Amino acid sequence: MLVVVAVLLGSLGFVKFRQIQNAIAQGSSFQPPPTAVTTIVAQKETWPTTLDIIGTAQAIQGVTVSADLPGTVAKIHFDSGQWVHEGDILVELDTRQEQAQLAEVEAQRDLARINYGRTQQLVNQGVMAKTEFDNVTAQQKVTEGQVGEIRATIARKTIRAPFSGVLGIRQVSLGQYLAAGQAIISLQSLDPIYVNFGVPQQSIGQVGIGRTLRITSNDLPGLQFTGRVTALDSVVNESTRNLQVQTTLSNSQNKLRPGMFVQVSVGLGADTPVIALPASAINYAPYGDSVFVVTDLKDDKGKTYRGVRQQIVKLGGSRGDQVGVVSGINPGDEVVTSGVFKLRNGAAVQINNKVQPDNNSHPKPEDS
């Protein structure tokens, strides 16, 4: 019985040993299935060397018209959103008290003028002393000054447009009491208009006075504005290391409004040859950016298969969904555009280009 048991255990051990050997052999020869990827054939393009920045529109002249002196609104001569010219009357405050004071002071001035004329005749005749004549002369000048002061007060209560432009939303009503400095309405001059933006300090030398820029806005499709650099700030912002640049451009249709953000494209020099790839094709890493190039490879047995080779690349700028590759790949190379995160150097791939990733140089976001 012991011999039979020993033979049985030995047979079972031998069978299990053979099974393990077969499993090891199968595992060593196992090849993972190819990874499904999409690809694109690299093509050479020429991109303009530009600096794309977000800018803000600002009125050349823009103020909030306010009351200079306190008073009650007697008349309103404008509507919200109206175009006005320099000097147009916007609001008149109640000046009945000042008008009464003016009538009184004008009467005193007229009397002072008469006394001045009579006194001058008496002095010329030698009847009156020069001292008395000086007193009358001073009184006449005092009344003239009082008249001028009251007239200036009345004029200050007649609020006019300081320049031509477009009015905003009215903030006062008839009969409302206004304190000194209280806002009445905003006034903006829209044509021409400023666009202000920041330029990184390393690009300051390439943006000078007179350089022509291109300005667009996503909210104004189909419209493109051309501006000219008219001013550079005197200091670089310590927080952002950017220099503020001011551009002046024509806004004859009044499409741009102060406060709008726009896209500013600054040309920095000659065009640059690049290979444009979808952004999804780039494998970003601390040691360097890379792409996977599809090529024919050989396995350990010398059998040829379609696989990928990881290639370090140097990137230029970006444009829409695309990234410009300056060096590292050549025109005609087949580059993986999706599924990059699943690959490794030498991995087998299966190409399926039925659905491609976004690759538009000027994408337009869909309405949400």
Short mmCIF file of all heavy atoms in Angstrom, two decimals, residues 180-246:
data_model
loop_
_atom_site.label_atom_id
_atom_site.label_comp_id
_atom_site.label_asym_id
_atom_site.label_seq_id
_atom_site.Cartn_x
_atom_site.Cartn_y
_atom_site.Cartn_z
N ALA A 180 -23.79 117.08 -4.08
CA ALA A 180 -22.61 117.40 -4.89
C ALA A 180 -21.82 116.13 -5.19
O ALA A 180 -21.52 115.36 -4.28
CB ALA A 180 -21.75 118.42 -4.16
N GLY A 181 -21.54 115.88 -6.47
CA GLY A 181 -20.78 114.70 -6.86
C GLY A 181 -21.63 113.48 -7.14
O GLY A 181 -21.08 112.44 -7.50
N GLN A 182 -22.95 113.57 -7.00
CA GLN A 182 -23.80 112.40 -7.23
C GLN A 182 -23.89 112.10 -8.73
O GLN A 182 -24.04 113.00 -9.55
CB GLN A 182 -25.20 112.64 -6.67
CG GLN A 182 -26.12 111.44 -6.78
CD GLN A 182 -27.41 111.63 -6.04
OE1 GLN A 182 -27.52 112.52 -5.20
NE2 GLN A 182 -28.39 110.80 -6.32
N ALA A 183 -23.79 110.80 -9.08
CA ALA A 183 -23.76 110.38 -10.48
C ALA A 183 -25.10 110.64 -11.16
O ALA A 183 -26.17 110.44 -10.57
CB ALA A 183 -23.40 108.91 -10.57
N ILE A 184 -25.02 111.07 -12.42
CA ILE A 184 -26.21 111.31 -13.24
C ILE A 184 -26.29 110.28 -14.36
O ILE A 184 -27.31 109.62 -14.54
CB ILE A 184 -26.19 112.73 -13.82
CG1 ILE A 184 -26.27 113.76 -12.69
CG2 ILE A 184 -27.33 112.93 -14.81
CD1 ILE A 184 -26.13 115.20 -13.15
N ILE A 185 -25.21 110.11 -15.11
CA ILE A 185 -25.18 109.16 -16.23
C ILE A 185 -23.73 109.02 -16.68
O ILE A 185 -22.89 109.90 -16.46
CB ILE A 185 -26.07 109.66 -17.39
CG1 ILE A 185 -26.35 108.53 -18.37
CG2 ILE A 185 -25.44 110.85 -18.08
CD1 ILE A 185 -27.43 108.87 -19.38
N SER A 186 -23.42 107.86 -17.30
CA SER A 186 -22.09 107.65 -17.85
C SER A 186 -22.05 108.13 -19.29
O SER A 186 -23.04 108.07 -20.01
CB SER A 186 -21.69 106.17 -17.79
OG SER A 186 -22.54 105.40 -18.63
N LEU A 187 -20.88 108.62 -19.71
CA LEU A 187 -20.67 109.12 -21.07
C LEU A 187 -19.36 108.54 -21.58
O LEU A 187 -18.32 108.68 -20.93
CB LEU A 187 -20.63 110.65 -21.08
CG LEU A 187 -20.30 111.32 -22.43
CD1 LEU A 187 -21.36 110.99 -23.47
CD2 LEU A 187 -20.16 112.83 -22.25
N GLN A 188 -19.43 107.84 -22.74
CA GLN A 188 -18.26 107.18 -23.30
C GLN A 188 -18.06 107.61 -24.75
O GLN A 188 -19.02 107.62 -25.52
CB GLN A 188 -18.41 105.65 -23.24
CG GLN A 188 -18.73 105.10 -21.87
CD GLN A 188 -17.58 105.20 -20.90
OE1 GLN A 188 -16.42 105.12 -21.30
NE2 GLN A 188 -17.87 105.38 -19.63
N SER A 189 -16.82 107.93 -25.08
CA SER A 189 -16.45 108.19 -26.47
C SER A 189 -15.96 106.89 -27.08
O SER A 189 -14.97 106.31 -26.61
CB SER A 189 -15.36 109.27 -26.53
OG SER A 189 -14.92 109.46 -27.85
N LEU A 190 -16.64 106.38 -28.12
CA LEU A 190 -16.39 105.04 -28.64
C LEU A 190 -15.55 104.99 -29.91
O LEU A 190 -15.09 103.91 -30.29
CB LEU A 190 -17.72 104.34 -28.90
CG LEU A 190 -18.66 104.20 -27.70
CD1 LEU A 190 -19.91 103.44 -28.11
CD2 LEU A 190 -17.96 103.50 -26.55
N ASP A 191 -15.36 106.08 -30.59
CA ASP A 191 -14.62 106.04 -31.86
C ASP A 191 -13.69 107.26 -31.94
O ASP A 191 -14.18 108.40 -32.01
CB ASP A 191 -15.59 106.05 -33.05
CG ASP A 191 -14.87 105.89 -34.38
OD1 ASP A 191 -13.78 105.28 -34.38
OD2 ASP A 191 -15.40 106.37 -35.39
N PRO A 192 -12.37 107.01 -31.94
CA PRO A 192 -11.68 105.72 -31.80
C PRO A 192 -11.75 105.19 -30.37
O PRO A 192 -12.31 105.84 -29.49
CB PRO A 192 -10.25 106.05 -32.22
CG PRO A 192 -10.10 107.49 -31.85
CD PRO A 192 -11.43 108.14 -32.09
N ILE A 193 -11.17 104.00 -30.18
CA ILE A 193 -11.21 103.36 -28.87
C ILE A 193 -9.85 102.74 -28.57
O ILE A 193 -9.09 102.42 -29.49
CB ILE A 193 -12.32 102.28 -28.84
CG1 ILE A 193 -12.64 101.85 -27.42
CG2 ILE A 193 -11.95 101.09 -29.71
CD1 ILE A 193 -13.90 101.00 -27.32
N TYR A 194 -9.54 102.60 -27.28
CA TYR A 194 -8.30 101.96 -26.86
C TYR A 194 -8.52 100.47 -26.63
O TYR A 194 -9.61 100.03 -26.27
CB TYR A 194 -7.80 102.55 -25.53
CG TYR A 194 -7.24 103.94 -25.60
CD1 TYR A 194 -7.47 104.85 -24.57
CD2 TYR A 194 -6.45 104.36 -26.66
CE1 TYR A 194 -6.95 106.13 -24.60
CE2 TYR A 194 -5.93 105.63 -26.71
CZ TYR A 194 -6.19 106.53 -25.68
OH TYR A 194 -5.67 107.79 -25.72
N VAL A 195 -7.44 99.69 -26.84
CA VAL A 195 -7.37 98.30 -26.38
C VAL A 195 -6.07 98.16 -25.60
O VAL A 195 -4.98 98.41 -26.15
CB VAL A 195 -7.43 97.30 -27.54
CG1 VAL A 195 -7.10 95.89 -27.04
CG2 VAL A 195 -8.80 97.30 -28.19
N ASN A 196 -6.17 97.80 -24.33
CA ASN A 196 -5.00 97.65 -23.47
C ASN A 196 -4.73 96.16 -23.22
O ASN A 196 -5.67 95.37 -23.02
CB ASN A 196 -5.21 98.36 -22.14
CG ASN A 196 -5.41 99.85 -22.31
OD1 ASN A 196 -4.89 100.45 -23.23
ND2 ASN A 196 -6.17 100.47 -21.41
N PHE A 197 -3.46 95.77 -23.22
CA PHE A 197 -3.08 94.38 -22.98
C PHE A 197 -1.67 94.34 -22.43
O PHE A 197 -0.91 95.31 -22.53
CB PHE A 197 -3.19 93.54 -24.26
CG PHE A 197 -2.36 94.07 -25.41
CD1 PHE A 197 -1.07 93.62 -25.62
CD2 PHE A 197 -2.87 95.02 -26.28
CE1 PHE A 197 -0.31 94.10 -26.66
CE2 PHE A 197 -2.13 95.50 -27.33
CZ PHE A 197 -0.84 95.05 -27.52
N GLY A 198 -1.33 93.21 -21.82
CA GLY A 198 0.00 93.02 -21.24
C GLY A 198 0.88 92.16 -22.12
O GLY A 198 0.44 91.14 -22.65
N VAL A 199 2.14 92.55 -22.26
CA VAL A 199 3.12 91.80 -23.07
C VAL A 199 4.20 91.27 -22.13
O VAL A 199 4.72 92.03 -21.31
CB VAL A 199 3.74 92.71 -24.15
CG1 VAL A 199 4.85 91.98 -24.88
CG2 VAL A 199 2.68 93.16 -25.13
N PRO A 200 4.56 89.97 -22.20
CA PRO A 200 5.64 89.45 -21.36
C PRO A 200 6.93 90.22 -21.58
O PRO A 200 7.22 90.69 -22.69
CB PRO A 200 5.78 87.99 -21.83
CG PRO A 200 4.45 87.66 -22.43
CD PRO A 200 3.95 88.93 -23.05
N GLN A 201 7.72 90.33 -20.53
CA GLN A 201 8.91 91.18 -20.61
C GLN A 201 9.91 90.68 -21.66
O GLN A 201 10.63 91.49 -22.23
CB GLN A 201 9.58 91.24 -19.24
CG GLN A 201 10.12 89.92 -18.72
CD GLN A 201 10.80 90.08 -17.37
OE1 GLN A 201 10.57 91.03 -16.64
NE2 GLN A 201 11.66 89.14 -17.04
N GLN A 202 9.92 89.38 -21.97
CA GLN A 202 10.86 88.89 -22.97
C GLN A 202 10.47 89.31 -24.39
O GLN A 202 11.28 89.21 -25.31
CB GLN A 202 11.00 87.37 -22.91
CG GLN A 202 9.72 86.61 -23.18
CD GLN A 202 8.96 86.31 -21.91
OE1 GLN A 202 9.11 87.00 -20.91
NE2 GLN A 202 8.16 85.25 -21.93
N SER A 203 9.24 89.78 -24.57
CA SER A 203 8.77 90.20 -25.90
C SER A 203 8.65 91.71 -26.03
O SER A 203 8.18 92.19 -27.06
CB SER A 203 7.42 89.54 -26.21
OG SER A 203 7.49 88.14 -26.15
N ILE A 204 9.07 92.44 -25.02
CA ILE A 204 8.90 93.89 -25.04
C ILE A 204 9.64 94.52 -26.21
O ILE A 204 9.13 95.43 -26.88
CB ILE A 204 9.38 94.50 -23.70
CG1 ILE A 204 8.45 94.07 -22.57
CG2 ILE A 204 9.43 96.03 -23.79
CD1 ILE A 204 8.90 94.52 -21.20
N GLY A 205 10.85 94.02 -26.49
CA GLY A 205 11.65 94.62 -27.55
C GLY A 205 11.05 94.46 -28.93
O GLY A 205 11.44 95.19 -29.86
N GLN A 206 10.10 93.54 -29.09
CA GLN A 206 9.50 93.30 -30.40
C GLN A 206 8.19 94.04 -30.59
O GLN A 206 7.58 93.96 -31.65
CB GLN A 206 9.28 91.80 -30.60
CG GLN A 206 10.57 90.99 -30.58
CD GLN A 206 10.31 89.50 -30.59
OE1 GLN A 206 9.83 88.93 -29.62
NE2 GLN A 206 10.63 88.86 -31.69
N VAL A 207 7.72 94.72 -29.56
CA VAL A 207 6.47 95.48 -29.64
C VAL A 207 6.80 96.94 -29.41
O VAL A 207 7.04 97.37 -28.28
CB VAL A 207 5.44 94.99 -28.60
CG1 VAL A 207 4.15 95.79 -28.71
CG2 VAL A 207 5.17 93.51 -28.78
N GLY A 208 6.85 97.72 -30.49
CA GLY A 208 7.21 99.13 -30.39
C GLY A 208 6.09 100.03 -30.85
O GLY A 208 5.06 99.59 -31.38
N ILE A 209 6.28 101.32 -30.63
CA ILE A 209 5.28 102.32 -31.04
C ILE A 209 5.09 102.24 -32.56
O ILE A 209 6.06 102.19 -33.32
CB ILE A 209 5.72 103.73 -30.63
CG1 ILE A 209 5.90 103.81 -29.11
CG2 ILE A 209 4.71 104.76 -31.10
CD1 ILE A 209 4.64 103.60 -28.33
N GLY A 210 3.84 102.22 -32.99
CA GLY A 210 3.53 102.18 -34.41
C GLY A 210 3.29 100.80 -34.97
O GLY A 210 2.82 100.67 -36.11
N ARG A 211 3.59 99.73 -34.22
CA ARG A 211 3.38 98.38 -34.74
C ARG A 211 1.89 98.12 -34.94
O ARG A 211 1.06 98.45 -34.10
CB ARG A 211 3.98 97.33 -33.80
CG ARG A 211 3.74 95.90 -34.26
CD ARG A 211 4.44 94.91 -33.36
NE ARG A 211 5.88 94.94 -33.58
CZ ARG A 211 6.50 94.27 -34.53
NH1 ARG A 211 5.81 93.53 -35.38
NH2 ARG A 211 7.81 94.33 -34.65
N THR A 212 1.56 97.48 -36.05
CA THR A 212 0.17 97.18 -36.38
C THR A 212 -0.24 95.85 -35.77
O THR A 212 0.52 94.87 -35.83
CB THR A 212 -0.03 97.14 -37.90
OG1 THR A 212 0.35 98.41 -38.45
CG2 THR A 212 -1.49 96.88 -38.25
N LEU A 213 -1.44 95.80 -35.19
CA LEU A 213 -1.96 94.62 -34.53
C LEU A 213 -3.31 94.22 -35.12
O LEU A 213 -3.99 95.05 -35.74
CB LEU A 213 -2.12 94.85 -33.02
CG LEU A 213 -0.95 95.49 -32.28
CD1 LEU A 213 -1.32 95.73 -30.84
CD2 LEU A 213 0.27 94.60 -32.36
N ARG A 214 -3.68 92.97 -34.88
CA ARG A 214 -4.99 92.47 -35.31
C ARG A 214 -5.82 92.15 -34.07
O ARG A 214 -5.37 91.43 -33.19
CB ARG A 214 -4.84 91.24 -36.20
CG ARG A 214 -6.16 90.69 -36.72
CD ARG A 214 -5.89 89.59 -37.76
NE ARG A 214 -5.11 88.50 -37.16
CZ ARG A 214 -5.67 87.45 -36.55
NH1 ARG A 214 -6.98 87.36 -36.43
NH2 ARG A 214 -4.90 86.50 -36.06
N ILE A 215 -7.05 92.68 -34.02
CA ILE A 215 -7.92 92.50 -32.86
C ILE A 215 -9.21 91.84 -33.31
O ILE A 215 -9.83 92.27 -34.29
CB ILE A 215 -8.23 93.85 -32.17
CG1 ILE A 215 -6.94 94.45 -31.57
CG2 ILE A 215 -9.25 93.67 -31.06
CD1 ILE A 215 -6.28 95.45 -32.42
N THR A 216 -9.61 90.78 -32.62
CA THR A 216 -10.86 90.09 -32.90
C THR A 216 -11.59 89.83 -31.58
O THR A 216 -11.01 89.98 -30.50
CB THR A 216 -10.63 88.75 -33.62
OG1 THR A 216 -9.75 87.93 -32.82
CG2 THR A 216 -10.00 88.96 -34.98
N SER A 217 -12.86 89.45 -31.70
CA SER A 217 -13.66 89.12 -30.53
C SER A 217 -14.56 87.94 -30.86
O SER A 217 -15.17 87.90 -31.93
CB SER A 217 -14.51 90.31 -30.08
OG SER A 217 -15.39 89.94 -29.02
N ASN A 218 -14.63 86.97 -29.93
CA ASN A 218 -15.51 85.83 -30.14
C ASN A 218 -16.98 86.24 -30.18
O ASN A 218 -17.81 85.54 -30.76
CB ASN A 218 -15.30 84.80 -29.02
CG ASN A 218 -13.94 84.14 -29.09
OD1 ASN A 218 -13.33 84.06 -30.15
ND2 ASN A 218 -13.44 83.67 -27.96
N ASP A 219 -17.30 87.36 -29.55
CA ASP A 219 -18.68 87.84 -29.52
C ASP A 219 -19.05 88.62 -30.78
O ASP A 219 -20.22 88.99 -30.95
CB ASP A 219 -18.90 88.72 -28.29
CG ASP A 219 -18.63 87.98 -27.00
OD1 ASP A 219 -18.98 86.79 -26.94
OD2 ASP A 219 -18.07 88.57 -26.07
N LEU A 220 -18.07 88.90 -31.63
CA LEU A 220 -18.32 89.63 -32.88
C LEU A 220 -17.76 88.81 -34.04
O LEU A 220 -16.75 89.18 -34.64
CB LEU A 220 -17.67 91.02 -32.84
CG LEU A 220 -18.12 91.95 -31.71
CD1 LEU A 220 -17.28 93.21 -31.67
CD2 LEU A 220 -19.60 92.31 -31.86
N PRO A 221 -18.36 87.68 -34.34
CA PRO A 221 -17.82 86.81 -35.41
C PRO A 221 -17.84 87.52 -36.75
O PRO A 221 -18.77 88.24 -37.10
CB PRO A 221 -18.78 85.61 -35.40
CG PRO A 221 -20.04 86.12 -34.77
CD PRO A 221 -19.62 87.16 -33.78
N GLY A 222 -16.74 87.32 -37.48
CA GLY A 222 -16.64 87.92 -38.81
C GLY A 222 -16.05 89.31 -38.82
O GLY A 222 -15.73 89.83 -39.90
N LEU A 223 -15.89 89.93 -37.65
CA LEU A 223 -15.33 91.28 -37.59
C LEU A 223 -13.87 91.21 -37.15
O LEU A 223 -13.52 90.46 -36.23
CB LEU A 223 -16.11 92.16 -36.61
CG LEU A 223 -17.46 92.70 -37.10
CD1 LEU A 223 -18.08 93.57 -36.03
CD2 LEU A 223 -17.31 93.49 -38.38
N GLN A 224 -13.04 91.97 -37.82
CA GLN A 224 -11.63 92.06 -37.47
C GLN A 224 -11.22 93.53 -37.48
O GLN A 224 -11.54 94.27 -38.41
CB GLN A 224 -10.79 91.26 -38.46
CG GLN A 224 -9.29 91.32 -38.19
CD GLN A 224 -8.52 90.40 -39.11
OE1 GLN A 224 -8.81 89.22 -39.23
NE2 GLN A 224 -7.52 90.94 -39.79
N PHE A 225 -10.54 93.94 -36.44
CA PHE A 225 -10.10 95.32 -36.30
C PHE A 225 -8.58 95.38 -36.42
O PHE A 225 -7.87 94.46 -36.01
CB PHE A 225 -10.52 95.90 -34.94
CG PHE A 225 -12.01 95.82 -34.68
CD1 PHE A 225 -12.56 94.69 -34.09
CD2 PHE A 225 -12.84 96.87 -35.02
CE1 PHE A 225 -13.92 94.61 -33.85
CE2 PHE A 225 -14.20 96.80 -34.78
CZ PHE A 225 -14.73 95.67 -34.20
N THR A 226 -8.11 96.46 -36.98
CA THR A 226 -6.67 96.71 -37.09
C THR A 226 -6.33 97.91 -36.25
O THR A 226 -6.92 98.99 -36.41
CB THR A 226 -6.27 96.96 -38.56
OG1 THR A 226 -6.62 95.82 -39.35
CG2 THR A 226 -4.77 97.20 -38.65
N GLY A 227 -5.39 97.71 -35.33
CA GLY A 227 -4.98 98.80 -34.44
C GLY A 227 -3.51 99.09 -34.57
O GLY A 227 -2.76 98.38 -35.25
N ARG A 228 -3.10 100.13 -33.88
CA ARG A 228 -1.70 100.56 -33.92
C ARG A 228 -1.26 100.88 -32.50
O ARG A 228 -1.98 101.54 -31.74
CB ARG A 228 -1.55 101.79 -34.81
CG ARG A 228 -0.14 102.30 -34.98
CD ARG A 228 -0.12 103.42 -36.00
NE ARG A 228 -1.07 104.47 -35.68
CZ ARG A 228 -0.82 105.48 -34.84
NH1 ARG A 228 0.37 105.57 -34.27
NH2 ARG A 228 -1.74 106.40 -34.60
N VAL A 229 -0.07 100.38 -32.11
CA VAL A 229 0.45 100.64 -30.77
C VAL A 229 0.76 102.12 -30.64
O VAL A 229 1.51 102.69 -31.43
CB VAL A 229 1.71 99.79 -30.50
CG1 VAL A 229 2.32 100.15 -29.15
CG2 VAL A 229 1.38 98.31 -30.55
N THR A 230 0.14 102.75 -29.64
CA THR A 230 0.32 104.19 -29.44
C THR A 230 1.02 104.53 -28.14
O THR A 230 1.48 105.66 -27.98
CB THR A 230 -1.04 104.91 -29.48
OG1 THR A 230 -1.94 104.27 -28.55
CG2 THR A 230 -1.64 104.84 -30.87
N ALA A 231 1.12 103.60 -27.19
CA ALA A 231 1.76 103.92 -25.92
C ALA A 231 2.23 102.64 -25.23
O ALA A 231 1.60 101.58 -25.35
CB ALA A 231 0.79 104.68 -25.01
N LEU A 232 3.36 102.76 -24.54
CA LEU A 232 3.89 101.68 -23.69
C LEU A 232 4.01 102.21 -22.28
O LEU A 232 4.43 103.36 -22.06
CB LEU A 232 5.26 101.22 -24.19
CG LEU A 232 5.36 100.69 -25.63
CD1 LEU A 232 6.80 100.39 -25.97
CD2 LEU A 232 4.51 99.45 -25.80
N ASP A 233 3.65 101.38 -21.31
CA ASP A 233 3.77 101.79 -19.92
C ASP A 233 5.25 101.97 -19.56
O ASP A 233 6.14 101.41 -20.21
CB ASP A 233 3.13 100.75 -19.01
CG ASP A 233 2.74 101.33 -17.65
OD1 ASP A 233 3.10 102.49 -17.37
OD2 ASP A 233 2.08 100.63 -16.87
N SER A 234 5.49 102.75 -18.53
CA SER A 234 6.88 103.06 -18.15
C SER A 234 7.48 102.02 -17.21
O SER A 234 8.69 102.02 -16.98
CB SER A 234 6.96 104.44 -17.49
OG SER A 234 6.10 104.50 -16.36
N VAL A 235 6.65 101.14 -16.63
CA VAL A 235 7.15 100.14 -15.68
C VAL A 235 6.57 98.77 -16.03
O VAL A 235 5.51 98.66 -16.64
CB VAL A 235 6.79 100.50 -14.22
CG1 VAL A 235 7.48 101.78 -13.79
CG2 VAL A 235 5.28 100.64 -14.05
N VAL A 236 7.28 97.72 -15.62
CA VAL A 236 6.82 96.34 -15.76
C VAL A 236 6.15 95.93 -14.46
O VAL A 236 6.69 96.17 -13.37
CB VAL A 236 7.99 95.41 -16.10
CG1 VAL A 236 7.54 93.96 -16.12
CG2 VAL A 236 8.60 95.78 -17.44
N ASN A 237 4.99 95.30 -14.57
CA ASN A 237 4.27 94.85 -13.39
C ASN A 237 5.09 93.79 -12.66
O ASN A 237 5.47 92.77 -13.25
CB ASN A 237 2.90 94.29 -13.80
CG ASN A 237 2.03 93.96 -12.61
OD1 ASN A 237 2.32 93.04 -11.85
ND2 ASN A 237 0.97 94.72 -12.45
N GLU A 238 5.34 93.99 -11.38
CA GLU A 238 6.20 93.07 -10.62
C GLU A 238 5.52 91.73 -10.38
O GLU A 238 6.20 90.72 -10.20
CB GLU A 238 6.58 93.70 -9.28
CG GLU A 238 7.48 94.93 -9.40
CD GLU A 238 7.91 95.45 -8.05
OE1 GLU A 238 7.52 94.86 -7.03
OE2 GLU A 238 8.64 96.47 -8.01
N SER A 239 4.21 91.69 -10.37
CA SER A 239 3.49 90.44 -10.10
C SER A 239 3.45 89.55 -11.34
O SER A 239 3.66 88.33 -11.25
CB SER A 239 2.07 90.74 -9.63
OG SER A 239 2.08 91.53 -8.45
N THR A 240 3.17 90.13 -12.50
CA THR A 240 3.01 89.35 -13.73
C THR A 240 4.22 89.43 -14.65
O THR A 240 4.32 88.64 -15.60
CB THR A 240 1.78 89.83 -14.50
OG1 THR A 240 1.96 91.21 -14.87
CG2 THR A 240 0.53 89.72 -13.62
N ARG A 241 5.12 90.39 -14.42
CA ARG A 241 6.27 90.63 -15.31
C ARG A 241 5.80 90.96 -16.72
O ARG A 241 6.46 90.62 -17.70
CB ARG A 241 7.23 89.43 -15.34
CG ARG A 241 7.75 89.03 -13.97
CD ARG A 241 8.46 90.17 -13.26
NE ARG A 241 8.86 89.81 -11.91
CZ ARG A 241 9.41 90.64 -11.03
NH1 ARG A 241 9.61 91.90 -11.38
NH2 ARG A 241 9.74 90.24 -9.84
N ASN A 242 4.67 91.63 -16.81
CA ASN A 242 4.14 92.07 -18.10
C ASN A 242 4.20 93.59 -18.18
O ASN A 242 4.09 94.30 -17.17
CB ASN A 242 2.68 91.63 -18.27
CG ASN A 242 2.56 90.14 -18.51
OD1 ASN A 242 3.55 89.46 -18.81
ND2 ASN A 242 1.37 89.61 -18.38
N LEU A 243 4.34 94.08 -19.40
CA LEU A 243 4.32 95.51 -19.66
C LEU A 243 2.99 95.85 -20.33
O LEU A 243 2.60 95.21 -21.32
CB LEU A 243 5.48 95.92 -20.56
CG LEU A 243 5.55 97.42 -20.91
CD1 LEU A 243 6.02 98.21 -19.69
CD2 LEU A 243 6.47 97.67 -22.10
N GLN A 244 2.30 96.85 -19.81
CA GLN A 244 1.03 97.26 -20.39
C GLN A 244 1.26 98.04 -21.69
O GLN A 244 2.09 98.94 -21.75
CB GLN A 244 0.24 98.12 -19.40
CG GLN A 244 -0.44 97.32 -18.30
CD GLN A 244 -1.49 96.37 -18.84
OE1 GLN A 244 -2.39 96.78 -19.57
NE2 GLN A 244 -1.39 95.11 -18.48
N VAL A 245 0.52 97.63 -22.72
CA VAL A 245 0.61 98.26 -24.04
C VAL A 245 -0.78 98.79 -24.40
O VAL A 245 -1.79 98.15 -24.12
CB VAL A 245 1.08 97.25 -25.10
CG1 VAL A 245 1.14 97.90 -26.48
CG2 VAL A 245 2.44 96.69 -24.72
N GLN A 246 -0.80 99.96 -25.01
CA GLN A 246 -2.07 100.58 -25.41
C GLN A 246 -2.12 100.72 -26.92
O GLN A 246 -1.19 101.23 -27.54
CB GLN A 246 -2.22 101.95 -24.75
CG GLN A 246 -3.60 102.57 -24.94
CD GLN A 246 -3.76 103.81 -24.08
OE1 GLN A 246 -3.32 104.90 -24.47
NE2 GLN A 246 -4.36 103.66 -22.91
#
